[in-house]
Amino acid sequence: MMLSMEGVHAHYGHIHALRGIDVEVQVGEIVTLIGANGAGKSTLMMSLFGSPKATAGRIVFDGEDITRVPTHEIARRGIALVPEGRHIFPRMTVIENLQLGTVHADAANYEADIARMFAMFPILEERQAQRAGTLSGGEQQMLAIGRALMSRPKLLLLDEPSLGLAPIYIRRIFQIVKELNRNHGMTILLVEQNANQALRVADRGYVLQHGEITLAGTGAELLASPEVRAAYLEGG
Ligand code: ATP
C-alpha cells in the first residue's frame, strides 16, 4: 500500500471541507479523484501535506503514519505535488525551474535526473535556456511535472494537469501520465475535471461530493456508472 486515508476530516475555519475521507492508493496504481468545483479535491491533496491539517482520521504513507508530520518532511519522504495552475517560475529558464526541483534529492544524482527529464520531455531540452514564461501552456505543464519528478517521488500528485490546455496538449498530458506509470512505475493520484479521460487512464477512481466520497470503483466501472455519466460525463 502506498497511501491510505482513513476517516480524514479537515476544516478551513468553519468550513468542513473533508468529511471522513477513505481513499487508498496501491503501489503502481493510477487513482483519480473526480468531482465538481469546490467538492474538496484540492483540499484532499493538500491535506496529505498537512495544509489544512487533518482534524480527525489517519493518513498512512509508505507504511508510516504521516498525519502529524510537518509539511517539509512529507516532501522529503517522497510525495510530490504538481499544483493546479502549474506555478512554474516564468522569468527563470527551463533548466533553472528543473533545478528548483532537486532541493530534496541527492546532489550527486542531479546530472542523471536532468538527463532523465530531457529524455522524457525532449522539448524541455530544446528549450532549456529559454525563460519558462515563454513556453506554451502544455510545455509549462510538462515542466511542472518534470520539476516534481526531479525529487524522485514515490507518489506523484497531479492537480488538474489538463486544465486550460489546448486539445493537443490535453491528449499529450494524459499520455504522459500513462507513460510515467507504465514505463517508469510511478504511482499517481490524479485530480481532474476531465472525468472521461481521467477515468480512461486510471486503474481506480473516487467521486468526491461536498467533502465526501460518494462512489468508488475501477475506471471502467465509474465510466459505465449512470450516476457518473449523468453528473460528470454527459455534456461535459
Ligand atoms: P476546484 O476544482 O474548484 O479547485 P476542489 O474540488 O478542488 O475544487 P477545494 O478547492 O478543495 O475544491 O475546496 C473545497 C471547499 O473548501 C470549498 O467549499 C472551498 O470554497 C473551500 N476552501 C478551499 N480552500 C479554502 C481556503 N484556503 N480557505 C477557506 N475555504 C477554502
Side-chain angles (χ1 to χ4, degrees):
M1 180 80 66
M2 181 68 83
L3 176 75
S4 86
M5 302 177 77
E6 300 162 13
V8 172
H9 289 255
H11 296 75
Y12 296 109
H14 295 302
I15 297 174
H16 193 172
L18 300 181
R19 302 163 179 252
I21 295 292
D22 293 307
V23 160
E24 288 185 348
V25 182
Q26 309 279 348
V27 175
E29 271 190 321
I30 302 177
V31 173
T32 189
L33 289 174
I34 59 175
N37 282 334
K41 305 181 300 296
S42 300
T43 301
L44 190 157
M45 281 193 168
M46 301 288 291
S47 75
L48 301 176
F49 287 92
S51 174
K53 285 205 185 322
T55 44
R58 206 162 83 103
I59 304 171
V60 178
F61 171 66
D62 202 20
E64 288 178 41
D65 188 330
I66 60 162
T67 322
R68 308 268 170 262
V69 169
T71 305
H72 66 273
E73 172 66 15
I74 291 183
R76 211 188 54 77
R77 289 194 191 190
I79 306 183
L81 169 68
V82 180
E84 184 178 337
R86 307 188 275 275
H87 301 285
I88 52 125
F89 294 90
R91 298 168 71 91
M92 295 172 80
T93 65
V94 166
I95 197 156
E96 285 166 350
N97 270 273
L98 288 175
Q99 287 164 351
L100 287 171
T102 61
V103 285
H104 302 290
D106 181 349
N109 293 321
Y110 166 70
E111 293 296 338
D113 285 340
I114 287 278
R116 211 158 40 88
M117 288 317 124
F118 285 167
M120 213 178 289
F121 305 112
I123 190 76
L124 298 183
E125 181 165 24
E126 273 173 45
R127 305 272 160 98
Q128 59 179 294
Q130 202 170 311
R131 284 189 184 195
T134 65
L135 299 178
S136 72
E139 291 162 356
Q140 289 185 21
Q141 186 59 261
M142 291 180 212
L143 177 57
I145 294 172
R147 185 181 59 190
L149 292 173
M150 288 293 288
S151 69
R152 302 186 171 204
K154 294 175 186 156
L155 173 64
L156 181 66
L157 309 178
L158 298 172
D159 196 350
E160 304 270 12
S162 79
L163 192 69
L165 300 184
I168 184 172
Y169 280 116
I170 295 179
R171 279 198 297 279
R172 181 74 189 112
I173 291 299
F174 281 103
Q175 238 174 26
I176 287 168
V177 169
K178 233 191 289 183
E179 283 168 17
L180 279 174
N181 177 256
R182 304 254 162 91
N183 305 343
H184 302 273
M186 185 58 63
T187 305
I188 296 171
L189 181 59
L190 170 69
V191 161
E192 262 297 333
Q193 291 278 330
N194 194 332
N196 191 6
Q197 300 218 45
L199 291 171
R200 278 174 207 287
V201 300
D203 297 297
R204 289 185 308 107
Y206 294 90
V207 176
L208 196 57
Q209 244 178 322
H210 306 300
E212 287 178 89
I213 303 291
T214 53
L215 213 54
T218 65
E221 281 165 0
L222 293 179
L223 271 173
S225 142
E227 254 175 285
V228 171
R229 298 196 72 81
Y232 306 105
L233 299 176
E234 273 148 24

